């Protein structure tokens, strides 16, 4: 952090505000845990290889956990090997037993680099967990075109991942590109950012991302299936003159929750293995309550008979205190380093973070 001799310097127009407003990521790694009976667990670390694209000046993830041992003699050791990008766990030992880890190396076209994707975990009894993690390669669908931010229809391409248990059970996760509309987003046709989907002047009325469309658990010749549906009603205001969907209100609710309009709501429906259905209704108005669940509907196994409706209301108040740092949205997670202009990328909806 920056030393300031007098608080008044913060407001001095000649002071280096770029330095004052810079944010930092600090990692606190536990070294020892002791209970009231003086039993202890100690954690040891080793220096880690820097991830691709990072620099020593901004290094935040510098240590890797290598050993955990307790005062009663129990001990866990973690061994690493060189991966395509940084160190990766190769095996873990405990009490004479060993777990081994295997990976696929895959090029991620979105992040433009190679990644190690977990493929297999071999247990001490040689039984294996098997992973096929397609979603690891698609952290999100970037709205690189203004039509996506203006609620253009997304191609229904499924990304399927599986996890296989050593005893044969299989978990299948299916994800699909989905639109999440927002209402009353700030948009200006003149001035501000040149791009119609970037910054505080022009904010997209739809967010595009991968969302769960189905979860399935297969075991003993049978399966349990959860199906997900999203309202995908387009947000407002419409921003482009080309053919993209008009703003649309949410439909299909038995009633409108108090204090809200159907235009300012979106929903997620989950049909459970027994046929029962839960509908989660969210506020989507660009403001302090955006993303908050305001109504939950529980239906019987015919998915149509309403059993219970729960309305949720909120009381908001301004946050107490300031640290004189801007709301800063890093371009990548986890944060490896923060470049000098990073804090210009403020959160779109400041109200969510100031209340």
């Amino acid at each position: 952090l920056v030393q300031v001799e007098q608080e008044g310097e913060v407001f001095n127009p000649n002071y280096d505000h770029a330095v004052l407003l810079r944010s930092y990521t600090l990692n606190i790694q536990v070294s020892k845990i002791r209970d009231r009976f003086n039993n202890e667990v100690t954690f040891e670390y080793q220096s880690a290889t820097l991830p691709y694209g990072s620099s020593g000046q901004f290094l935040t993830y510098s240590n890797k956990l290598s050993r955990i041992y307790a005062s009663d003699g129990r001990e866990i050791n973690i061994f690493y090997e060189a991966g395509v990008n940084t160190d990766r766990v190769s095996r873990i030992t405990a009490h004479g037993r060993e777990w081994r880890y295997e990976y696929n190396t895959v090029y991620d076209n979105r992040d433009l680099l190679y990644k190690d994707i977990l493929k297999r975990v071999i247990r001490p009894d040689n039984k294996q967990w098997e992973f096929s993690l397609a979603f690891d390669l698609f952290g999100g669908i970037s709205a690189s075109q203004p039509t996506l931010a203006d609620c253009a229809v997304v191609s229904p391409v499924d990304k399927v991942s599986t996890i296989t248990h050593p005893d044969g059970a299989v978990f299948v996760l299916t994800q699909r590109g989905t639109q999440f509309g927002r209402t009353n987003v700030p948009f200006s046709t003149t001035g501000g950012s040149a791009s119609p989907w970037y910054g505080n002047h022009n904010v997209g009325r739809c967010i595009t991302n991968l969302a769960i469309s189905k979860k399935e658990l297969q075991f003993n010749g049978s399966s349990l299936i959860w199906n997900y549906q999203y309202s995908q009603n387009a947000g407002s205001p419409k921003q482009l003159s080309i053919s993209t969907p008009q703003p649309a209100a949410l439909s299909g609710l038995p009633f409108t929750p108090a204090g809200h309009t159907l235009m300012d709501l979106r929903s997620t429906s989950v049909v459970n293995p027994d046929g029962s259905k839960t509908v989660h209704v969210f506020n989507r108005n660009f403001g302090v309550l955006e993303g908050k669940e305001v109504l939950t509907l529980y239906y019987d196994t015919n998915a149509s008979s309403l059993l219970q409706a729960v309305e949720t209301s909120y009381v908001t108040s301004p946050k107490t205190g300031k640290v004189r740092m801007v709301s800063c949205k890093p371009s990548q997670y986890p944060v490896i380093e923060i470049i000098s202009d990073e804090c210009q990328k403020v959160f779109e909806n400041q109200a969510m973070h100031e209340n």
Side-chain angles (χ1 to χ4, degrees):
L1 297 179
V2 178
Q3 180 180 354
V4 180
E5 294 181 359
Q6 295 182 2
E7 187 173 347
E9 290 187 18
V10 175
F11 304 102
N12 182 347
N14 297 318
Y15 201 86
D16 187 357
H17 285 74
V19 175
L20 280 174
L21 296 178
R22 182 174 295 166
S23 63
Y24 296 84
T25 298
L26 300 177
N27 293 312
I28 300 176
Q29 295 176 307
V30 62
S31 58
K32 183 176 291 187
I33 299 175
R34 181 187 297 116
D35 67 15
R36 61 193 178 102
F37 302 108
N38 287 323
N39 299 307
E40 293 183 350
V41 177
T42 303
F43 300 78
E44 290 184 354
Y45 302 86
Q46 296 176 353
S47 296
T49 303
L50 301 187
Y52 174 81
S54 62
S55 65
Q57 181 182 0
F58 295 105
L59 178 62
T60 59
Y61 292 85
S62 57
N63 293 322
K64 57 188 179 186
L65 182 64
S66 59
R67 183 182 177 218
I68 306 172
Y69 60 95
S71 53
D72 62 3
R74 291 176 296 167
E75 183 173 333
I76 298 173
N77 288 278
I78 305 170
F79 300 89
Y80 296 81
E81 63 186 9
V84 67
N85 201 337
T86 184
D87 299 330
R88 63 190 188 190
V89 174
S90 60
R91 59 191 179 95
I92 296 177
T93 62
H95 313 296
R97 297 182 297 169
E98 181 178 79
W99 289 258
R100 289 170 287 153
Y101 297 79
E102 297 180 358
Y103 304 82
N104 285 320
T105 298
V106 182
Y107 186 76
D108 190 326
N109 287 302
R110 181 172 181 267
D111 288 339
L112 303 179
L113 52 80
Y114 286 93
K115 293 182 177 180
D116 294 312
I117 308 300
L118 185 62
K119 177 178 66 175
R120 184 178 296 115
V121 178
I122 304 172
R123 304 192 317 189
D125 60 3
N126 281 326
K127 289 187 175 182
Q128 303 177 0
W129 284 89
E130 299 281 350
F131 299 85
S132 177
L133 305 180
F135 62 82
D136 241 45
L137 308 179
F138 304 90
I141 297 178
S142 176
S144 58
Q145 300 178 3
T147 54
L148 285 178
D150 199 40
C151 302
V153 178
V154 182
S155 299
V157 177
D158 288 338
K159 305 297 181 183
V160 181
S161 300
T162 61
I163 301 176
T164 304
H165 187 274
D167 293 327
V170 179
F171 173 70
V172 183
L173 179 68
T174 304
Q175 294 179 291
R176 175 177 293 183
T178 306
Q179 291 277 20
F180 297 91
R182 313 160 79 185
T183 55
N184 299 314
V185 296
F187 180 76
S188 172
T189 57
T190 60
S193 174
S195 302
W197 68 93
Y198 177 84
N200 281 299
H201 295 286
N202 300 314
V203 175
R205 63 186 178 113
C206 270
I207 296 174
T208 307
N209 209 340
L210 284 175
I212 296 172
S213 60
K214 184 170 72 172
K215 294 192 299 188
E216 183 176 2
L217 182 61
Q218 304 169 352
F219 61 99
N220 294 334
S222 61
S223 64
L224 299 174
I225 297 176
W226 292 259
N227 285 304
Y228 292 70
Q229 289 187 328
Y230 304 88
S231 58
Q232 300 197 80
N233 47 318
S236 68
K238 194 175 188 308
Q239 300 173 350
L240 300 178
S241 58
I242 62 176
S243 179
T244 53
Q246 294 291 334
L250 180 63
S251 59
L253 296 184
F255 62 91
T256 304
H260 301 276
T261 66
L262 291 175
M263 180 59 75
D264 291 336
L265 300 177
R266 61 176 175 84
S267 68
T268 299
S269 300
V270 184
V271 178
N272 302 301
D274 63 355
S276 62
K277 181 173 71 172
T278 305
V279 179
H280 304 272
V281 181
F282 301 92
N283 183 305
R284 65 174 188 159
N285 184 53
F286 190 90
V288 65
L289 294 182
E290 184 182 5
K292 296 293 186 184
E293 188 165 2
V294 297
L295 177 65
T296 311
L297 303 170
Y298 299 92
Y299 292 87
D300 206 348
T301 51
N302 60 8
S304 59
S305 299
L306 182 62
L307 300 177
Q308 184 182 21
V310 178
E311 288 190 69
T312 304
S313 59
Y314 300 85
V315 176
T316 61
S317 61
K319 283 183 178 178
T320 303
K322 297 283 185 180
V323 293
R324 291 195 176 93
M325 287 187 178
V326 298
S327 295
C328 186
K329 181 182 180 182
S331 59
Q332 61 180 351
Y333 293 91
V335 179
I336 297 175
E337 60 181 343
I338 297 177
I339 59 177
S340 59
D341 66 342
E342 194 74 42
C343 286
Q344 295 176 15
K345 302 174 183 177
V346 296
F347 288 103
E348 287 181 337
N349 187 349
Q350 295 274 22
M352 295 173 60
H353 305 279
E354 298 298 333
N355 296 276

